[in-house]
Amino acid sequence: MSTLTLPQLDQVAPAYERDGYVIVRNVVSCELMREAEQHVHATIARHPGVAFDKLHQMPFYREDPFYLRLIRQPQLLDIAAQSLGPNLALFATGYIIKSPGSSMAVLWHQDGSYWPLEPMEVCTLWLAITESKVFNGCMRVIPGTQHLDLQALKERKDKESLLGTSMDESLVDKSKAVDLELDPGDVSMHHPNVIHGSNANQSPTHWRLNLVIRVIASSTKITDPNWPGVFHLRGQRRPDVNRYLPEPA
């Protein structure tokens, strides 16, 4: 497993290129993670009609400045820059919430299959707000599969799952799956083509809370004309490529 610390940033790119993912420990302070945990539960309370598993699909971050304050931690952007270079924009973000004993699995997929990006210069930072372990449904990856072309998604009615779709599972060697166990403040970064998924949260008492951060190179174009825009994160803006959103009040 590719597990590093912030002083080892120069090793992030080689590990990421080899395995399609990397874990960096102790990136964000536990104090800020406790604040984020409170913000998750406040967000849940403000939107009682939205299922926990679906909250990550809601664009709350476009109006709530807390998300950007958290995402713009320099050490988070330093990790993303190892993959994408110095010019960064925020494509999307949201809390991934697995409540105790009632969440659904995420079937095997590649993130890039869902995204209207050209070129596919994007990475996902997965920030652990609470511990993310096997018992509460941590992410699982198939190392090295970032070299596989993006696959078509299939609707799945045979298994209950969060996304309702998966890739062709005959292409997935489950014997090679690695569990990405994280403590609060740890970050994993994964490639848009790497195969990954997660099991349901089997714990009767422990939440699994993560912030998923989709970072693109500023030169990557969002091809969906209905996409509202991006937030500037670092380096050069490219208003000729994407529309930039105003800062939330």
Side-chain angles (χ1 to χ4, degrees), residues 8 84 100 104 108 117 129 136 141 146 168 171 188 195 245:
Q8 298 172 298
L84 301 175
M104 292 186 285
W108 297 110
L117 299 174
I129 297 171
N136 64 349
V141 303
Q146 73 275 13
D168 181 352
L171 299 173
S188 67
I195 298 172
L245 295 166

Side-chain angles (χ1 to χ4, degrees), residues 65-81:
F66 181 82
Y67 290 95
L68 288 182
R69 180 163 72 87
L70 181 53
I71 291 163
R72 284 176 172 152
Q73 299 293 305
Q75 60 271 32
L76 286 172
L77 301 184
D78 288 344
I79 295 170

